Amino acid sequence: MAGGHPQHGVKGDEVADALAQDINRRVPQLGFLTINEGCLDWLERIEAQLPDTYTVRFDPIRNGSGQVANCKHESPFGNAIIYNTGVLVNPQPVAHDLGALEGAEKREMLCLRSVARMLVVCTAHLVASGENVEQRRREAAEVKRVLATDYSSYTVLLGGDLNDDPISQATSNLYHSGYGGVPTQEAHGAFKEAFSPCRNEIKVYYLGSGGEQNWCRGGPNTHGINKYDYLFVPPAATVHSATVVSSPHSDHKQMWAELTIPSSIGPLVDSIMVVGDSISQGLEGDYTWRYRLAQHLKSAGRDVTFVGPYRGTTRLPRSQPANYPEESAPPYFNGVYRDGLTFDSDHFAQWGRQAHQAKNDIYSRVSQYQPTYLLVELGFNDLGWGVSNPDGLIADMRTLITNARAAKSDIRILVANVPQRTPLDVQPDLGTKISAYNAKLGPALQALNTTASPVRLVDFATGYNPYTDAYDGLHPNPQGEHKIAKAFANVLWNQFQVGATYSTPSGTIAPLVPAAPGWMRAKLTAAGIDLEWQHSFGAGGYWFYQRDATAGEAFKALPLQIPADSWGARWVIPGHTYEFYVVATRGDGQVSGPSPIASATVANQQTAAGPPNIVATPGPGYIDVRWDAATGPYSETVHTYVVYYLDNSVPGAIVSTKSTTGRSIRLSGLVSGHSYTVAVCSVNAAGEGLPAGGQSVTVG
């Protein structure tokens, strides 16, 4: 995709759209497509335009300092495989380290292994440039070793940018020995090259039109005057066609081949679906307890596959919708794991997910994936957000189990209890609710247990300390990940003889500290000033600081963190210069340094002033607020009013809002005897203007 190319890597969505069109012209026959120098945002856009039977697997590349590398625009950079799920069934991804030099970019080979098909598809991108010849040879030798040892019983296909010519020592590791070569560079690999001019014949030479001998280790140029890109296939494969196509969005040409490969059906393996919330999905930069469990089962020699509709963690969006917080950015499932690791990460977990929601769609997901084991980690959001009380959550969990069994009568179900979190001032009784639910869960699951579909309790709450096992009082840090994985793993072993007893590794892993954004930009708009900044890997939010430099103010942080990589500064005064910076955070203790300062002087603002004649009338537990229509410049396009109200009687209280298209509203659910400050803003075509009012009243 040329995401690292200085010309093509800075382009926009046209790159992804063009490749999506190329792929869609070849479906449903297309089995897989390997991609090097891919950008995650482009790949996500491509996947959204493909049929549901196609999936993208992305493996980020790490730079010399170990951080996930970026494309020439702001998106993770790496290798990918787009595959037909009917060809590669439930593939398990593995990223093989190719042994980069200290301080150099970490080259990897991404492989997708389908046990069901006994088929492996890999992509490799070897180091470039002439001074790296020896390193490239070492990487190619490691590719050969991995394919021969890790996948010896599989049908293997390898595509990629090897950055060397067909007669080189590097490619000699892959070309079948029958291709020969010059002295000291004879082929000693095991593969046929699909774009060889000798096509299905593995031999040293072919005769040209003038009777001259030409190497079969050759083919059409793919990068300028060089052939750097390859598709290696088993010798038994039959190549029917091989076409090289130029692309206006890459310095490499596309390679499309039609072939028939030998195949066999592999052994049946158990499958696991993790159903959970943010504790299970994880935030960008987490390893996740799912990874810990997958590694444990692998080391125990138990071959299982994880299934589900999602693959990644979540991450902060580039921006939030204009009416945030009433509406939030859509959920994100392609966040990168810690150190850019790749593993069998399919899951059915989502940030903010509730059992009350999952009970309604578990039937369709179990029907689709038919997991052997269902690992359920849900409930905190039901109790924490007031969706259900303990009895209501027990009822929802009972329905979830019933619906899962309706889709697969012999499914084995492991249900975790809910961990305590550090106290929240706004939820003083949350700990009591969690304890009550956990006390009821065990007996409820025991009543649901059957011989055909066993149900077991997973107790990770007992040993989980929110002060030391979480980075924010709830979500697990590396130590907490091990505790959750251990709880599930030991039930799998003790109750179902899957894996082994979990052994927590010794030593500690340092928490991820997000880096300070490297840039910040300010842009004047009709509504005020829009700010954006460089995404900080692993950040859970940003403290946003601003000051009115014209008025000589000191920097002050907004009361709440910004859950995105951008924000709009409103309520600014025309002619005044404002300065801004952000600090990235991850939980309670991991804070970056400040970003660079961005500044702008307000001009051409087109928002309307707040409405006149605001009257706030208190009542028992409520305040009725009314006002006249907005007047003055730009008031003709006012379409909404936003009412802000703050409980002055509660130290540290957060401002609440309600919006309406009318000119009155009731603020209900207030505390009698408390004093509230009320203000109203006008919202026109440009956005929200400065507030008017600010009067305080005491609720009756």
Side-chain angles (χ1 to χ4, degrees):
M1 294 187 78
H5 192 274
Q7 175 186 350
H8 301 295
V10 297
K11 291 181 178 179
D13 292 338
E14 67 270 18
V15 178
D17 294 343
L19 185 53
Q21 291 176 11
D22 291 337
I23 295 172
N24 278 318
R25 281 196 290 268
R26 293 169 170 85
V27 301
Q29 290 78 20
L30 181 67
F32 67 90
L33 175 67
T34 65
I35 292 177
N36 302 121
E37 293 195 37
C39 303
L40 182 56
D41 60 339
W42 288 348
L43 291 164
E44 290 172 342
R45 186 175 178 88
I46 289 172
E47 186 171 26
Q49 298 179 53
L50 300 182
D52 292 341
T53 51
Y54 285 86
T55 297
V56 177
R57 277 285 186 181
F58 174 74
D59 176 40
I61 289 175
R62 290 169 289 153
N63 57 29
S65 61
Q67 300 296 313
V68 173
N70 271 342
C71 291
K72 292 302 181 181
H73 62 279
E74 194 71 23
S75 182
F77 173 77
N79 302 314
I81 300 174
I82 300 175
Y83 65 93
N84 186 323
T85 55
V87 175
L88 274 172
V89 178
N90 291 331
Q92 299 172 340
V94 181
H96 299 278
D97 191 337
L98 298 183
L101 297 174
E102 185 68 29
E105 190 173 74
K106 307 299 188 290
R107 298 288 172 156
E108 293 181 335
M109 175 172 63
L110 171 64
C111 293
L112 300 184
R113 179 186 67 152
S114 172
V115 177
R117 296 292 189 195
M118 293 301 289
L119 179 65
V120 175
V121 175
C122 300
T123 183
H125 185 195
L126 304 189
V127 68
S129 76
E131 63 268 24
N132 290 320
V133 171
E134 288 302 321
Q135 175 62 18
R136 189 158 56 248
R137 291 171 182 168
R138 287 191 291 269
E139 291 173 355
E142 180 64 7
V143 169
K144 175 186 177 180
R145 186 198 66 78
V146 169
L147 297 182
T149 58
D150 290 21
Y151 307 115
S152 59
S153 59
Y154 287 80
T155 298
V156 177
L157 300 99
L158 169 68
D161 174 6
L162 304 188
N163 272 311
D164 219 331
D165 65 78
I167 305 297
S168 67
Q169 287 188 5
T171 57
S172 293
N173 286 277
L174 300 168
Y175 274 103
H176 191 280
S177 58
Y179 284 108
V182 299
T184 74
Q185 296 183 186
E186 294 92 344
H188 51 90
F191 294 98
K192 177 193 295 183
E193 210 280 306
F195 289 79
S196 164
C198 299
R199 195 60 57 84
N200 287 304
E201 294 185 85
I202 298 177
K203 58 185 183 180
V204 180
Y205 300 111
Y206 71 96
L207 296 179
S209 57
E212 71 279 8
Q213 286 186 329
N214 297 297
W215 292 107
C216 288
R217 285 173 65 174
N221 298 333
T222 63
H223 183 264
I225 61 172
N226 303 300
K227 174 176 170 59
Y228 281 170
D229 303 273
Y230 301 82
L231 175 59
F232 288 104
V233 301
T238 301
V239 180
H240 302 291
S241 66
T243 307
V244 174
V245 181
S246 295
S247 170
H249 301 301
S250 176
D251 55 330
H252 288 255
K253 295 177 181 177
Q254 298 176 358
M255 302 170 66
W256 302 95
E258 180 183 352
L259 57 144
T260 302
I261 57 175
S263 64
S264 60
I265 301 300
L268 293 175
V269 297
D270 288 335
S271 57
I272 293 174
M273 179 187 285
V274 174
V275 184
D277 49 34
S278 53
I279 292 172
S280 294
Q281 184 187 3
L283 174 65
E284 174 190 65
D286 282 335
Y287 291 100
T288 74
W289 71 263
R290 296 181 287 105
Y291 168 73
R292 307 296 186 185
L293 179 62
Q295 293 301 102
H296 162 74
L297 294 174
K298 181 180 179 181
S299 65
R302 186 58 185 257
D303 200 2
V304 302
T305 181
F306 286 79
V307 298
Y310 313 132
R311 296 183 299 279
T313 62
T314 192
R315 59 161 275 177
L316 293 179
R318 189 75 212 144
S319 62
Q320 291 286 357
N323 62 338
Y324 177 84
E326 286 82 4
E327 178 187 1
S328 296
Y332 190 84
F333 300 105
N334 289 327
V336 176
Y337 294 88
R338 182 81 170 262
D339 299 330
L341 64 88
T342 301
F343 66 104
D344 187 8
S345 62
D346 293 328
H347 65 85
F348 184 33
Q350 178 180 333
W351 206 268
R353 192 71 164 160
Q354 308 155 18
H356 191 69
Q357 299 166 317
K359 67 183 175 66
N360 296 321
D361 50 22
I362 193 66
Y363 174 84
S364 63
R365 293 305 188 185
V366 172
S367 296
Q368 178 181 2
Y369 293 100
Q370 291 292 297
T372 314
Y373 296 91
L374 195 68
L375 276 53
V376 182
E377 177 279 307
L378 288 167
F380 180 86
N381 295 315
D382 300 79
L383 300 174
W385 295 359
V387 174
S388 302
N389 59 24
D391 289 329
L393 179 53
I394 290 290
D396 283 343
M397 200 63 74
R398 188 179 293 116
T399 301
L400 186 150
I401 292 171
T402 300
N403 290 344
R405 284 172 168 169
K408 191 174 189 295
S409 60
D410 62 347
I411 193 168
R412 302 170 181 183
I413 305 173
L414 287 70
V415 181
N417 51 17
V418 174
Q420 294 285 352
R421 69 149 297 141
T422 52
L424 296 173
D425 292 339
V426 295
Q427 291 258 32
D429 61 343
L430 179 57
T432 302
K433 290 180 181 178
I434 291 175
S435 296
Y437 168 74
N438 287 345
K440 296 172 182 285
L441 182 60
L445 296 181
Q446 188 173 6
L448 291 168
N449 182 60
T450 68
T451 302
S453 175
V455 181
R456 297 290 187 269
L457 172 68
V458 175
D459 178 16
F460 84 80
T462 297
Y464 192 81
N465 185 333
Y467 293 95
T468 59
D469 298 331
Y471 61 80
D472 61 354
L474 175 64
H475 298 100
N477 57 25
Q479 179 175 304
E481 291 169 352
H482 279 297
K483 287 192 174 181
I484 300 172
K486 179 178 181 178
F488 276 102
N490 286 346
V491 173
L492 283 171
W493 172 241
N494 293 328
Q495 300 294 319
F496 302 103
Q497 291 71 58
V498 175
T501 300
Y502 194 94
S503 177
T504 303
S506 60
T508 60
I509 298 175
L512 176 66
V513 179
W519 54 264
M520 187 179 194
R521 291 191 286 259
K523 177 184 176 183
L524 290 175
T525 70
I529 305 171
D530 283 352
L531 288 304
E532 63 174 344
W533 50 89
Q534 182 184 33
H535 177 73
S536 179
F537 180 79
Y542 301 91
W543 286 117
F544 184 92
Y545 291 83
Q546 70 179 61
R547 77 183 189 104
D548 184 340
T550 301
E553 293 179 348
F555 277 107
K556 293 182 180 178
L558 295 185
L560 297 177
Q561 293 187 34
I562 305 301
D565 297 332
S566 60
W567 194 247
R570 306 296 181 251
W571 302 3
V572 290
I573 301 172
H576 282 221
T577 297
Y578 290 82
E579 294 180 341
F580 310 88
Y581 70 88
V582 294
V583 171
T585 69
R586 183 181 178 87
D588 299 330
Q590 287 71 55
V591 181
S592 78
S595 72
I597 292 175
S599 65
T601 301
V602 180
N604 301 318
Q605 193 173 14
Q606 298 175 19
T607 55
N613 302 322
I614 299 171
V615 177
T617 304
Y622 67 85
I623 299 174
D624 284 334
V625 187
R626 57 183 172 83
W627 55 89
D628 291 343
T631 60
Y634 309 112
S635 61
E636 64 276 5
T637 62
V638 170
H639 54 80
T640 303
Y641 296 94
V642 180
V643 180
Y644 289 83
Y645 55 107
L646 175 68
D647 188 340
N648 303 312
S649 303
V650 177
I654 301 300
V655 176
S656 299
T657 66
K658 282 192 174 182
S659 60
T660 178
T661 57
R663 297 205 297 271
S664 65
I665 197 168
R666 172 165 288 188
L667 309 177
S668 56
L670 308 183
V671 181
S672 295
H674 281 211
S675 169
Y676 290 82
T677 298
V678 179
V680 185
C681 294
S682 304
V683 183
N684 66 0
E688 184 178 316
L690 285 165
Q695 57 182 283
S696 297
V697 295
T698 299
V699 174

